[in-house]
Each structure stands twice: as C-alpha cells, then as structure tokens.
Amino acid sequence: MRCFKLNIQQVMGKVIANLRQDGQALRPGQIVQGKIVAIYPNNKAQIQLGTTLLIAQLEAALEVGAKYHFQVQEGREIPQLKVIGEALRQSQLSNAESLLQQFGIKPTKGNAEFVELLLQQKIPFEKDQLQQAVLLLDRAGNRLLAQQVLLEMFSNRMPITPNIYLSLFLRESNEFYSQLLLLEQTLQQEQKLNHQVKQQLMTLLARYTGSSENYKLELVQRLTDNPATFNFLKAIRFINRDMQYSDWGQQLQQTNKQDASVMVTEYNHNRILQVLTNILPKAPVIRDQAALFLQTWGNLLHESVTKGMALPEEQFGKLTYDLQQTMRTVAQQVDFQVLNTPKDLRNIIIDLEILANQENQTKIGEHHTRILKDLFLEQTRNVLTQSGLNYEKVIHQEEMNPQHTLKGLVTQLMQLSDGNTQEVATRLLHFMNGVQLQSIQESDNFLQAQLVIPAGKFGLSSDIELSFEGTKNKDGELNKEFCRIMFFLDLSHIEKTVIDMHVQKRTISLTILNDYPIDETIHHLKSGLKEGLAKIDYQLTSVTYKPLSNNQLADKKDNIPEKQHETYRGVDYRI
C-alpha cells in the first residue's frame, strides 16, 4: 500500500464539515474512494473525496484523473491516507471484487454487489465492519432485506454486530401489532407459567392489541352511542326495528352476559364489531344507492302505503329484486327480507330515507372521526409512556423503576420462561430494540424521529409509522414552526398510503401519495381538515395528490407495482 499526507491545516473545519455531509467523516480505518484531480509542484496534488476538494502531500506516484481506494490512518501531525491497490477500473463491480481480495475476503458476486452498493452510495466503511457484514449476509434468508438493513447500519455508523442486525432485521420484516398479538396468544396458552409478571404483561398487552372482550364491548358501545349510527344500523336491519335507542346500551350489556338476545338477533359484540368495521366505511355508497332506489320506487311505495294496499305481485317481485341489489353491499351481513304489506312497505320508505339522508351521514362521520382520533391518541400514549422506549436511559439515570413497562416485563418473562414462550418474547424484545435504534437520528442542528404505532387495534392492516424531521429549537427539541411529518399507512381499501406534511410558520401543506384515484375523496375532506387545523391555530395552504408507485417516498416500504384501480368512493381513515 502507498501512502501520502493530507494537508488540511488551513481548511480543516470546512473540509471535515463537507465530508460529514457526504457521510465521509475522516476516521481511522475507514475506506473512502477518491480521485486525483491535479498534480502540483513539490509533490502536492488536488484530490476529490465525495464532493470535497482538498490538497494532499504525495509520498507515492499517482495518476492524474485516476480513482483510488484510500484507507484513513492516524498520523503524528496530520491524517494519512493509504492507497489500497491499483487505480480503479470503470467497472464498480470489478473494483469491489479487487477491494475484497485486498482484504482477504472471498470476492463472491453477492459480496461484491454489497461493496458496490457501499461505494455507489458513498458510505464509508472499515475492513472489520465489512468482514462482519459478509458473515451476516451469508446467513441471511432474505438477502435483499439483509443488504438494506446493513446499509442502514453502515450509513448511521452503528456497530456491525449480530444483535443490532437482528433487531433491525426483525423491525423491517415484522409488524409491532402482530408481534404483540403473538405474545399475547402464546401467554394465553402457557400453562406452566403462573407468575405475577405473566398477569401484568397480559393486562398491558391487551391495551395494545384490543383483543380483550371488555375492550371490544366498550368499543361497540362508543361506536353506536350516537342516534345517527343507531338509526343507520336499524335501517340496514342489523338491529331489530323494535329496539329503542334509550335501551340500546343496557341491551348490549345483557346480550354479552347471556351471549344471545332476541333484540339483537344472534349477534354478540364480536359480531357487531365485525359488521361495523365492514359496513360503516361503505356508508356513502349505501347512501347513493338508497337515494336511487327511492327515486325509482318512492312514489309507488307512498301510494301503496297511503291506500293501505299491497303491491301487485309482479311489481313487488321487481321491488324486492331492486332492493336486494341496492343493499348488496350489506346483504351478506344482514337479512333485508320484507313482506308485501303496507306496514313493511312503509318501513322500507323510512329505512331508505334514513340511509339516503346526507345529514345523518355527516353526523355518523363526525362521531366516528372523534372516536378514531381518541383511539389513535390512546395508542400513541401507550407507546410513548408504557412501551419502554426509554428503558435503558431510565435505568442509566435511575429516574424511576422501568420494570412495569412493556420492555421491562418482556425482559423478565424471558428469564422466567423457556421453549416457545421464551422464543416469542425474545423476538419481541429484539423488535423493540430495532424500533429504539431507529427512533432518533440527530446532528448539531437537525433532528429526525420515528414512531411506530400498533394499529390493528382499530382496524388497520398494519402499523402506523410516523416520521418527524426538522431543525432543533434552542432547547434541542424539534422546531414545531419548521418541520416535516410523514405518515406511512397501509389501509384496508386504498392500501399503501403516505401523507407528507410540511409545516412552516404554522402553515401546512399536504401531499398525499396513493395509487387509487382518490382526488374526489380528498376534495370532500379538505374543508373539514382546514377547519380542524384552524382550531389549533394552523392554516392549511394546499392538499396535493400524487401516485405512490415509483415515488421516492415509497422506498420506506416495499415497492408497489404500477397498476390500475377502479374508482373507490369510500375512505379508510381521517387524520
């Protein structure tokens, strides 16, 4: 290896700052790629590392215009760079293979491709780090994900160790909610362990998963504790038409004690919650279909009811067929059979008018938006205050006993259990470590934070991920006046969705990325969003829709192939 000295005495501060921006802070042992730009008298040369130009004192013969791999070494007076191998070729893959050979690492195609990625992204690395990464790659079942995780570790200057790698790998390949639910189900089947830790953990897990019967019953009560929602469920014949709103809560409690009720057919609260989840998002579609049905049959029905007469059999057959078609979105969940009597025909008019009423739909939407907001805030508080994201910090500073947090209890469970229970607990602990490792990235003036919210509890397909980034204020906290917040969602109907929110001096601009044509839905929600932000002294300036496929923000999750979707007229969530 050849060596030359770096003359950086006059420009040390500027050069180091620029190199850090390129992810190439000069640290002993690092491998960097540089280009010889010009040769000057007295064995001096101008070299380029990343986007930074600096002057070096040469102690070896190098070619102008050639690129080399350099290894940073400590010097007595000024830093030194060792030239590794000969001048680089045009093929990055060949250069990567050559570098591996210099380090005594087997230059397989997979190893060379990984080194090529490091070089392309200008991520500095050391020989020992590369050796550890190659070992981890060789054992990886999902090599592409393993490369992604290792690149993140190199980029963020994390130690390349099996434990950190495993934590980040599990974080990227699993959902928080699914890991919590798996541990909860495992503990329910665990017969040997009868310890206070198990009971405490079961209670805490239920807050995250919402799987307890008491929680489901409470949620049904909250969702239906509204006349508009109650009448909607009666109109689609899910709740018996004889039920009174004043009796609903009491009857619901009684139903779940007896597991049956003539007032609510055979459904218990689990069945009610399933129907609510499936039907309520389709309320706008049901409204339009109900209005169309009344437009077609309304006059005939009113005439028949006024005269107190049944419809001719032929007309009644057509009416019932159209009615079933109108209600096809809920026909699998509820029984909408009617009799050809003035009373039943009058009930059809009443029910369809309820379903077609825009004011009712608005009240239902507002009521459920409030509930979803409360659920989201509750779950966010659970993660921030009870998960143990600051577990190690609390132990280090001895501020309080963190044993009763989720992480503290899982750690204790690992020591008390064995077999499958211990394995599931260990996976969850590694996953939470991965969440912690990704939670904060900061520099002197910049802060980036990520938060993962288990969202299966309130009906989403996967976790909600939030990313906050911006400058720090004088207290070292995120500046709320100038920041960016991104929501990464996977919704039941419109699937993968990213909401990119820019905040500048209490004005907000939103970009919504999704592969469904949801422009109309966004337009309807914009006024409500604008009013809500105004109440907390923020001004909405714009809402823009863009396709998610092939967008850079999509790289946060798996790539989504381009495809065409039929127009979707509902909405999964309001945020």
Side-chain angles (χ1 to χ4, degrees), residues 287-306:
R287 178 199 63 208
D288 293 346
Q289 292 177 337
L292 181 61
F293 182 88
L294 287 175
Q295 183 179 348
T296 305
W297 291 97
N299 291 336
L300 186 61
L301 283 170
H302 278 289
E303 181 180 351
S304 180
V305 170
T306 300

Side-chain angles (χ1 to χ4, degrees), residues 331-358:
Q332 294 180 353
Q333 286 89 11
V334 296
D335 183 9
F336 214 87
Q337 299 297 322
V338 294
L339 300 176
N340 190 8
T341 65
K343 179 182 177 181
D344 261 30
L345 297 178
R346 179 176 178 275
N347 288 338
I348 290 175
I349 297 174
I350 295 173
D351 293 341
L352 271 293
E353 286 179 346
I354 289 173
L355 297 178
N357 189 296
Q358 176 62 49

Side-chain angles (χ1 to χ4, degrees), residues 410-425:
V410 171
T411 302
Q412 295 175 68
L413 178 66
M414 288 171 54
Q415 299 169 353
L416 295 169
S417 61
D418 55 19
N420 185 52
T421 300
Q422 187 181 66
E423 181 180 343
V424 173

Side-chain angles (χ1 to χ4, degrees), residues 165-284:
Y165 165 79
L166 177 60
S167 295
L168 291 173
F169 188 91
L170 289 174
R171 162 69 185 91
E172 291 298 331
S173 57
N174 292 273
E175 299 288 339
F176 200 176
Y177 174 79
S178 63
Q179 295 296 301
L180 294 167
L181 187 62
L182 179 60
L183 180 58
E184 183 181 42
Q185 293 170 344
T186 303
L187 286 176
Q188 289 171 346
Q189 298 170 4
E190 175 64 75
Q191 302 296 327
K192 295 186 297 182
L193 182 64
N194 186 16
H195 194 278
Q196 185 180 5
V197 168
K198 175 184 175 181
Q199 304 307 320
Q200 291 175 334
L201 193 51
M202 288 288 290
T203 300
L204 188 54
L205 286 169
R207 298 178 190 173
Y208 289 98
T209 64
S211 60
S212 70
E213 298 304 311
N214 287 337
Y215 170 79
K216 293 177 182 178
L217 175 58
E218 179 188 351
L219 181 56
V220 169
Q221 290 175 317
R222 292 169 70 177
L223 287 169
T224 58
D225 187 19
N226 173 266
T229 305
F230 178 77
N231 290 330
F232 175 84
L233 293 176
K234 285 180 67 174
I236 63 172
R237 307 295 175 88
F238 180 70
I239 295 177
N240 191 295
R241 298 196 85 265
D242 295 330
M243 173 70 72
Q244 299 299 312
Y245 177 63
S246 58
D247 300 328
W248 169 245
Q250 182 180 354
Q251 289 292 338
L252 187 60
Q253 289 277 6
Q254 183 178 351
T255 297
N256 292 281
K257 290 179 181 178
Q258 301 175 354
D259 199 32
S261 170
V262 295
M263 303 298 287
V264 198
T265 67
E266 75 276 16
Y267 303 135
N268 61 14
H269 63 263
N270 287 291
R271 181 58 176 159
I272 297 171
L273 188 58
Q274 180 183 355
V275 171
L276 287 170
T277 303
N278 291 334
I279 292 179
L280 290 179
K282 302 173 184 177

